[in-house]
Amino acid sequence: MPDDRQPDQTAPAVVGPAGAPAGSGTSPDWRAQQGDQLTSAQGVRLPDADHSLKAGPRGPTLMEDFHFREKITHFDHERIPERVVHARGAGAHGVFRAYGNAAQWTRAAFLSGKDAETPVFVRFSTVLGSRGSADTVRDVRGFAVKFYTDEGNFDLVGNNMPVFFIQDAIKFPDIIHAGKPHPDREIPQAQSAHDTFWDFVSLHTEATHMVMWLMSDRAIPRSFRTMEGFGVHTFRLADGKGGTALVKFHWKPVAGIHSLVWEEAQLAAGMDPDFLRRDLADAIEAGAFPEWELGLQVMPDSEDQMFEGIDLLDPTKIVPEELAPVQPVGRLTLNANPTNFFAETEQIAFHTGHLVPGIEVTDDPLMQGRMFSYLDTQLTRLGGPNFSQLPINRPRVPVNDMLRDGMHQTAVHTGVAPYLPNSLGDGKPQVADAKAGGYVPTPRRIAGPVVRESPVSFEDHYSQATMFWNSMTQVEKLHIVEAFTFELGKCYEQPVRDQMLENLAKIDAELCMTVAEGLGMPTPSGVATPDGKAELIVGLDVSPALSQLPLKPGPIAGRKVGVLVDDGADLAGVSKLRDSLESEGAVLHVIAPHGGMVKKGARSEVVERTLLTTRSIEFDAVVVADGAGSMTDRRAITLLEEAFRHCKAIAAWGDGANLLAAAGIEADAPGVQVSEKASSAQRKALVRAMGMHREWARLPQLLEEVVAT
Ligand code: HDE
């Protein structure tokens, strides 16, 4: 009897960019669009792409026009339901390379094998907005990774924040209903700055720690490339020899953690709603491949699943890195853009239950709920139970699952015995025990009364919110205060603001007072403990690792510099600057008042942006070349003013300094490099300043100015 397998899946993988096996022999060919001839879906060649079949040139269209009907019918059904959360996303292909040191904790071969390489697809997303919403809204970002391992697919469906709003999955529909637009007017789109969200989180105080992250700069990343990622829940790793450990997964961006400033995020939402997906695709296309290290925090698999007083099953708690260091175990590199957004980024189906031997879940009640939801949601979204056969979801190992038929079945199964045991199929497929690579979870004891309750340790809702606040620098604290004041300022219901201020008082008295001042509300009395700290501290008071400000300059690969020029500008200097930036992997864009070319003598430069088509948000630094200093266009001034206000690196040489002066930027202001001539010292200083991301030293100066006026 032949094996009861899908023909393609037994063959060694010949894969295209989406992992689609190319057709061979008599197997069905999975590729679309073969041949140069336009055909119907049935492969019939078609003579005309522009006219329907009519009774005379001025007559009605005929029912018999199967070409027209097939085309319109297909078009009418092009949309599939968007994801109920994380609808807006962007993805990329890549590779994960293991360092090999994880073998001490897990038998999962893709993690434990030294230099083992595993293809991956990653999808980044926002949570609240619809598919067409803006990228840069204040929101949590999804960070979902599908590893096509040699032992089957493993999905690490994480976020860019290490905790979550709720502790029990039963509340997930509620928090999402509260965060989504109000049901009557369907406003506001893709944001949390409205009454129902704050009503929910102020009453569900377990959300407090997560809300601190949401109000921090983490919620407005500069780029997907500059975000951390977290598995959030505690997982169990098994080494295959009886040893287990509890772990948390971390993705550490090689490019460092960077964020937008709030005004920039808002401008981008209008000027370039595709800001983050464009950045990702551009960087990959330019060869500045985004990279992360995968790290593990490893804790003992103790009976009570507590670590230093922290309940490892509570998804609103982190384990501070100072208590359990993040140990790097491999590197992820994104190196190819999708070929087709729908086929890959939209149709990819993640599931927390896509696990491989050596990686197991724990009893975290949020994770347990997710183990149900992800499979269930794909049935509606992807139209039935066969979504694993879509090229982007298909494992890169033989699949022999005995699942049959169903909507959109694309496999032609052979054999008559899709059941076990059988005699008609030679007893195949065979089951595999742990030794043969079967997924056999570590036996764990589950005993207890049937109750709807949480453990007492889940009642601490404030101590880590306070730790987060304590760990921020002044600039980060300022941003958090501004974010709370903005968001609560957008709430119309007074009781909602009151409730929230009372919660803030339990985190930190100063935080509460400053937000209350901004809202023009009295600070709630009698709520804060005398020192403004939460009553119960578990773990640590302060975790410096939580601050995202760089202490030394980081890499600038994939970052963008805009150079203002005009006809007659020092194009030799521009060219040298481009060389320096390109050697660091950064990109230079020439901005001029007009399109086409700018010239000086025999030299010329292509104008890539005009003052009409660009805005400061596009750049990490702005430079004015000698010869562009007498520009009078208001938009050039705005570009510089915004870049300065957003604390970006700024430079000018020669008469370029005049334009800075026209924008009110002093030559000796922090993060501003002015020189008489284009020089390598200036270029180096610019690279260093960009590596620090922002020149925050400007902030107090700006504040003084605001106060003074
Ligand atoms: Fe999700 N989540 N989630 N989530 N989630 C979905 O699955 C859900 C949670 C996350 O790029 C949905 O295919 C429940 C935590 C990401 O395709 C859905 C609960 C974390 C993505 C779903 C959570 C996440 C999703 C919607 C509470 C971080 C996008 C469409 C128990 C660790 C994946 C879909 C992609 C998507 C359910 C909480 C991350 C409905 C019930 C915590 C990154 O199944």
Side-chain angles (χ1 to χ4, degrees):
M1 272 281 166
D3 255 8
D4 191 12
R5 306 184 197 208
Q6 296 180 21
D8 277 318
Q9 289 163 342
T10 56
V14 179
V15 290
S24 62
T26 54
S27 314
D29 194 326
W30 297 94
R31 291 171 303 178
Q33 289 171 227
Q34 307 111 14
D36 293 333
Q37 183 73 42
L38 177 70
T39 73
S40 73
Q42 300 304 314
V44 174
R45 293 185 172 199
L46 297 170
D48 184 329
D50 299 326
H51 302 92
S52 53
L53 192 67
K54 297 192 282 286
R58 296 166 69 79
T61 303
L62 298 178
M63 276 285 280
E64 71 181 66
D65 186 353
F66 62 83
H67 172 201
F68 168 82
R69 286 213 329 275
E70 181 187 74
K71 186 173 178 184
I72 297 295
T73 305
H74 196 278
F75 170 75
D76 291 346
H77 297 271
E78 271 179 12
R79 292 289 169 273
I80 61 171
E82 65 175 32
R83 289 165 172 81
V84 59
V85 284
H86 297 267
R88 171 87 182 164
H93 295 273
V95 66
F96 175 77
R97 189 170 297 112
Y99 298 151
N101 55 333
Q104 56 189 307
W105 302 298
T106 180
R107 57 166 294 193
F110 82 99
L111 280 177
S112 61
K114 183 157 170 40
D115 296 328
E117 285 197 4
T118 304
V120 298
F121 189 87
V122 180
R123 185 174 180 274
F124 303 107
S125 48
T126 49
V127 177
L128 286 178
S130 301
R131 239 189 93 178
S133 57
D135 277 349
T136 57
V137 294
R138 177 177 295 281
D139 198 354
V140 185
R141 298 297 181 292
F143 191 132
V145 185
K146 189 179 284 292
F147 297 81
Y148 304 92
T149 86
D150 293 344
E151 297 174 300
N153 285 356
F154 168 60
D155 293 352
L156 185 53
V157 199
N159 279 344
N160 76 329
M161 298 178 191
V163 285
F164 203 63
F165 295 100
I166 48 172
Q167 294 165 317
D168 188 316
I170 199 167
K171 291 197 203 181
F172 190 64
D174 307 332
I175 171 84
I176 297 303
H177 290 164
K180 286 276 185 184
H182 288 212
D184 48 359
R185 301 180 181 194
E186 217 192 22
I187 295 174
Q189 177 57 237
Q191 49 192 297
S192 51
H194 57 105
D195 282 303
T196 52
F197 175 79
W198 287 99
D199 189 27
F200 184 94
V201 295
S202 62
L203 294 173
H204 291 79
T205 48
E206 69 204 56
T208 311
H209 185 196
M210 178 66 164
V211 166
M212 291 299 286
W213 284 81
L214 187 66
M215 293 304 109
S216 79
D217 294 341
R218 305 277 183 152
I220 41 174
R222 155 71 182 85
S223 159
F224 293 134
R225 297 177 288 131
T226 59
M227 296 188 322
E228 273 187 298
F230 304 90
V232 175
H233 313 279
T234 302
F235 290 75
R236 175 174 284 104
L237 293 187
D239 64 7
K241 296 175 211 131
T244 58
L246 297 178
V247 302
K248 286 190 178 277
F249 288 104
H250 292 246
W251 291 110
K252 297 274 186 193
V254 172
I257 312 169
H258 295 316
S259 293
L260 299 171
V261 295
W262 180 230
E263 187 189 34
E264 217 183 353
Q266 287 180 299
L267 284 173
M271 299 295 299
D272 185 8
D274 306 307
F275 191 81
L276 296 179
R277 62 166 64 175
R278 187 191 308 284
D279 171 90
L280 179 68
D282 281 357
I284 292 174
E285 202 171 282
F289 296 148
E291 290 196 308
W292 288 261
E293 275 198 309
L294 180 66
L296 298 178
Q297 280 184 300
V298 184
M299 284 78 63
D301 192 355
S302 59
E303 185 78 26
D304 62 1
Q305 298 172 80
M306 303 284 287
F307 179 73
E308 302 273 346
I310 299 162
D311 191 335
L312 296 176
L313 299 189
D314 178 352
T316 66
K317 299 286 185 321
I318 62 163
V319 174
E321 291 185 25
E322 291 78 5
L323 295 180
V326 176
Q327 308 187 52
V329 296
R331 183 175 278 238
L332 165 70
T333 307
L334 297 181
N335 53 19
N337 283 312
T339 309
N340 182 276
F341 184 92
F342 181 83
E344 299 165 83
T345 311
E346 192 60 17
Q347 292 206 113
I348 194 161
F350 292 98
H351 176 20
T352 49
H354 292 163
L355 295 162
V356 291
I359 305 180
E360 301 171 16
V361 298
T362 54
D363 296 335
D364 169 345
L366 196 67
M367 166 159 262
Q368 289 289 321
R370 296 179 74 200
M371 293 295 280
F372 168 73
S373 179
Y374 287 72
L375 181 55
D376 180 54
T377 202
Q378 314 303 351
L379 300 180
T380 313
R381 202 170 72 75
L382 297 170
N386 288 317
F387 57 86
S388 323
Q389 296 179 3
L390 293 166
I392 192 68
N393 294 324
R394 194 176 303 142
R396 311 273 174 94
V397 289
V399 170
N400 198 346
D401 54 17
M402 295 202 302
L403 307 174
R404 288 293 179 273
D405 308 341
M407 301 276 265
H408 315 302
Q409 177 61 256
T410 54
V412 182
H413 291 109
T414 58
V416 295
Y419 51 82
L420 279 178
N422 69 54
S423 52
L424 300 181
D426 274 354
K428 288 185 179 162
Q430 295 157 342
V431 294
D433 61 13
K435 272 202 185 116
Y439 187 93
V440 183
T442 309
R444 63 185 201 272
R445 193 185 306 282
I446 296 181
V450 175
V451 289
R452 286 189 187 274
E453 276 176 27
S454 296
V456 177
S457 56
F458 277 36
E459 284 168 21
D460 162 33
H461 297 170
Y462 290 99
S463 63
Q464 289 208 341
T466 303
M467 175 182 73
F468 185 80
W469 172 257
N470 291 344
S471 310
M472 296 291 107
T473 57
Q474 276 311 107
V475 173
E476 290 168 302
K477 282 187 174 173
L478 178 69
H479 288 168
I480 291 173
V481 165
E482 284 172 353
F484 271 113
T485 317
F486 175 90
E487 297 254 328
L488 293 173
K490 291 271 187 176
C491 291
Y492 300 108
E493 302 293 338
Q494 196 56 39
V496 169
R497 295 167 167 210
D498 290 341
Q499 281 153 207
M500 200 56 220
L501 277 189
E502 291 195 10
N503 291 349
L504 293 189
K506 291 181 192 159
I507 302 170
D508 183 87
E510 186 202 351
L511 166 68
C512 177
M513 219 171 60
T514 337
V515 174
E517 261 171 35
L519 292 171
M521 287 172 61
T523 310
S525 57
V527 186
T529 50
D531 58 356
K533 297 271 163 56
E535 292 135 32
L536 175 73
I537 298 280
V538 296
L540 296 177
D541 272 5
V542 181
S543 165
L546 291 173
S547 167
Q548 69 170 75
L549 289 203
L551 299 173
K552 56 180 184 357
I556 62 161
R559 313 291 289 275
K560 288 185 185 167
V561 178
V563 182
L564 282 161
V565 299
D566 207 344
D567 289 306
D570 173 12
L571 300 185
V574 171
S575 168
K576 280 193 189 131
L577 179 58
R578 175 179 290 115
D579 291 346
S580 309
L581 291 170
E582 284 181 355
S583 70
E584 300 284 337
V587 184
L588 178 146
H589 287 304
V590 169
I591 315 168
H594 59 78
M597 311 280 279
V598 278
K599 295 197 172 90
K600 181 172 186 185
R603 281 187 179 270
S604 63
E605 284 278 350
V606 176
V607 177
E608 294 157 293
R609 303 287 189 274
T610 67
L611 293 173
L612 181 67
T613 59
T614 196
R615 188 87 185 228
S616 66
I617 51 157
E618 209 185 337
F619 307 109
D620 297 290
V622 179
V623 179
V624 192
D626 179 39
S630 50
M631 239 184 246
T632 50
D633 194 316
R634 180 70 226 167
R635 288 167 299 193
I637 309 262
T638 304
L639 190 85
L640 287 165
E641 281 170 348
E642 281 175 1
F644 186 76
R645 196 158 70 238
H646 300 155
C647 299
K648 292 175 179 174
I650 290 180
W653 75 90
D655 83 349
N658 298 345
L659 199 59
L660 298 194
I665 299 171
E666 286 168 20
D668 58 354
V672 177
Q673 275 100 33
V674 173
S675 66
E676 278 182 18
K677 286 194 191 137
S679 71
S680 77
Q682 186 184 43
R683 290 190 285 274
K684 277 191 192 137
L686 185 72
V687 168
R688 212 175 316 114
M690 283 173 71
M692 291 303 286
H693 188 46
R694 309 266 170 176
E695 183 44 89
W696 296 118
R698 265 183 224 156
L699 268 188
Q701 184 199 14
L702 281 172
L703 286 178
E704 271 166 30
E705 274 174 25
V706 173
V707 174
T709 48

